[in-house]
Amino acid sequence: MFIESPRYTERFGSVRMNHVQRVISLDSGVKSKLPPHGAMGVVKIDEETIKYFEDRMAIVIPVKDEKLKLFEGVVSGVPHDCLVIVVSNSQREKVDRFRMEGDALDQLCRFTFRQALIAHQRDPAIAEAMVEAGYDDLLGEDGLVRDGKSEAMVIGLLLAKAAGKEYIGFVDADNYFPGAVLEYVRNYAAGFSLAQSPYSMVRILWHYKPKISGGLYFRKWGRVSEITNKHLNNLISSKTGFETEVVRTGNAGEHAMSMKLAEILPYASGYAVEPQELVSIFEDFGGILPTKNIKVMEQGIDIFQVETRNPHLHEEKGDEHLQAMLLSALGTIYHSRLCGEEAKQAILAELVHQGALKGEETPPPIHINAPPKKVIASKFITAIQRDLDKYYVLR
Ligand code: GDD
């Protein structure tokens, strides 16, 4: 593929945050010559490089009661060499939707000779493995893993680690276009190939996010993302003294990380998870607050934001859902140790204006799950490997 070279990079402490890079062309052929690196501001990422990273990558698909057709489409879009890990929180009573997902996955894997893992988030065996490994952050009062997309992401991450993967990417199960899923993963690989540090992250920005209202309207910005980005940029500006627009992917559900970075980050519950990743990176490696990870600080963190060619069409879940998402997203910034009084006031005003808070209210505290590095990996892997066969669809 051809992608814009990272033209401008903003640095905060040891964080290298790259401005958005557009995908110029989805394929660059095998015959075309490699242009000199960065010629005309474009980089060629060859197929071999993309395949190298795909082979080392697990793609985690969190799913909760999505239409089966959409789920199947998403799985079919994941490049063949990636390990697919489905973490489901779908209903089991009456209609066993989890079973239906398992059957569909099994069939796709049989047809295409590939492996995949599927687990249910509320499976007691997962909770037990967490306890054995000394990591009970994800567990609720009933002793099982709590509901939430973020919790599914952490389970997926631990399964990917148990399977020996070096990179992990996330793709929502409600994407309408399998071709877009294929592109997300190729973009992840492209970003990783450009990283200087073993601690890297790739976040997807959609070219367009169409809305169906009468006709099809190709909207550029989601309502929540626009506001989240503004306040994340404010947070940075309030510390550097220079206004910035570098953050364009604050809510990116589709994103990927090197395992080395993924396991040292904390994960906020629910939909706060994506903005919290950035807030935590700024807190730990932005050079303003002291860090516990000196070694990581030395190598730096590379963040890439890649704009796709494909539009993103997914299930719309209504205004209430968007308000809850906004409240969690801005809550992560409001409760950050970096957030000063002025930035806090701006967030409160925004939330009241958007109808997500009333007059004197403040955003509720965010539940943050400790970095999975805290998991005694060997114990989790032993516990889960006893059962790992059960999660592989074809065994
Ligand atoms: N396993 C699991 N457990 N999956 C879940 C859960 C859960 O409790 N809740 C939601 N999911 C799955 C959904 O089935 C879907 O595949 C994905 O997580 C995203 O959830 P949605 O509820 O569809 O979120 P959204 O589409 O409104 O928002 C997405 O995009 C935002 C950016 O625009 C999410 O990825 C957000 O996290 C993201 O910020």
Side-chain angles (χ1 to χ4, degrees):
M1 67 193 281
F2 287 108
I3 182 171
E4 282 180 341
S5 48
R7 232 172 287 180
Y8 195 71
T9 310
E10 298 215 14
R11 293 175 170 78
F12 322 107
S14 63
V15 182
R16 292 182 289 268
M17 179 121 197
N18 292 285
H19 278 248
V20 170
Q21 294 166 251
R22 274 186 243 176
V23 173
I24 306 289
S25 176
L26 291 173
D27 181 55
S28 52
V30 280
K31 287 189 203 141
S32 79
K33 283 213 182 82
L34 260 182
H37 203 73
M40 296 188 314
V42 175
V43 195
K44 171 176 169 159
I45 316 285
D46 57 49
E47 273 318 293
E48 218 177 295
T49 306
I50 291 176
K51 293 295 161 211
Y52 172 90
F53 286 99
E54 286 175 356
D55 190 38
R56 287 161 178 74
M57 202 185 313
I59 295 297
V60 173
I61 306 176
V63 57
K64 185 172 184 194
D65 299 324
E66 299 294 350
K67 294 177 183 132
L68 205 56
K69 289 279 177 220
L70 293 189
F71 169 73
E72 279 176 347
V74 168
V75 176
S76 71
V78 177
H80 188 83
D81 294 336
C82 299
L83 175 65
V84 170
I85 302 181
V86 177
V87 184
S88 172
N89 195 11
S90 299
Q91 75 171 52
R92 308 223 54 185
E93 307 82 36
K94 291 190 206 137
V95 183
D96 189 343
R97 296 195 64 86
F98 174 60
R99 194 191 176 109
M100 287 158 73
E101 290 156 2
D103 288 347
L105 187 66
D106 181 272
Q107 194 170 53
L108 275 169
C109 288
R110 271 178 207 286
F111 286 160
T112 54
F113 301 100
R114 79 185 297 177
Q115 257 310 346
L117 294 165
I118 181 164
H120 198 278
Q121 183 161 345
R122 309 272 297 160
D123 183 342
I126 299 263
E128 274 163 37
M130 299 272 179
V131 172
E132 269 185 53
Y135 186 78
D136 51 15
D137 284 48
L138 298 187
L139 307 188
E141 280 168 15
D142 58 3
L144 301 178
V145 172
R146 287 190 308 275
D147 292 332
K149 175 193 148 165
S150 155
E151 285 66 15
M153 287 167 59
V154 179
I155 296 173
L157 199 155
L158 294 172
L159 288 172
K161 198 174 153 73
K165 292 292 164 181
E166 294 166 42
Y167 296 90
I168 177 159
F170 302 99
V171 176
D172 288 349
D174 59 349
N175 276 299
Y176 273 87
F177 301 135
V181 173
L182 179 75
E183 187 192 358
Y184 298 151
V185 180
R186 291 171 66 82
N187 294 351
Y188 295 160
F192 290 135
S193 77
L194 297 173
Q196 302 164 32
S197 162
Y199 301 91
S200 55
M201 174 182 272
V202 187
R203 300 172 78 93
I204 297 292
L205 173 67
W206 307 306
H207 198 171
Y208 293 106
K209 196 173 174 187
K211 250 200 107 51
I212 303 157
S213 48
L216 194 60
Y217 177 68
F218 284 83
R219 201 172 61 191
K220 184 96 184 148
W221 292 102
R223 277 173 287 172
V224 175
S225 1
E226 209 170 340
I227 300 171
T228 308
N229 292 342
K230 183 172 97 184
H231 289 275
L232 278 168
N233 283 316
N234 268 354
L235 184 72
I236 297 172
S237 312
S238 68
K239 295 295 153 194
T240 60
F242 290 88
E243 278 193 356
T244 179
E245 289 184 338
V246 64
V247 180
R248 305 272 295 277
T249 54
N251 289 100
E254 269 74 22
H255 67 289
M257 286 177 264
S258 62
M259 187 57 85
K260 282 192 164 186
L261 175 60
E263 59 185 7
I264 59 170
L265 284 187
Y267 293 89
S269 273
Y271 296 104
V273 61
E274 291 95 3
Q276 181 65 50
E277 288 166 1
L278 288 181
V279 168
S280 298
I281 290 177
F282 298 151
E283 286 176 348
D284 283 347
F285 308 106
I288 290 165
L289 302 171
T291 182
K292 290 191 199 106
N293 287 305
I294 303 284
K295 281 208 177 116
V296 181
M297 193 90 184
E298 281 164 11
Q299 310 230 37
I301 313 267
D302 288 313
I303 305 177
F304 298 91
Q305 305 179 93
V306 180
E307 185 182 280
T308 58
R309 292 307 309 182
N310 278 281
H312 180 78
L313 191 65
H314 73 144
E315 285 280 276
E316 289 284 350
K317 309 235 158 90
D319 280 356
E320 223 168 89
H321 176 67
L322 290 183
Q323 277 198 347
M325 199 178 265
L326 184 66
L327 188 58
S328 317
L330 296 197
T332 62
I333 310 171
Y334 183 89
H335 292 292
S336 165
R337 288 175 289 144
L338 287 174
C339 193
E341 201 43 46
E342 213 175 301
K344 279 193 176 171
Q345 290 309 321
I347 290 172
L348 291 179
E350 183 83 66
L351 288 169
V352 171
H353 175 69
Q354 298 293 337
L357 278 186
K358 288 196 203 94
E360 300 299 295
E361 289 175 338
T362 52
I366 306 279
H367 178 91
I368 296 189
N369 301 304
K373 188 137 202 178
K374 201 182 139 215
V375 179
I376 306 166
S378 54
K379 286 202 177 164
F380 180 80
I381 290 170
T382 319
I384 212 73
Q385 258 163 2
R386 279 199 308 259
D387 270 328
L388 204 60
D389 271 2
K390 168 175 119 185
Y391 302 114
Y392 272 110
V393 285
L394 293 187
R395 284 188 205 161

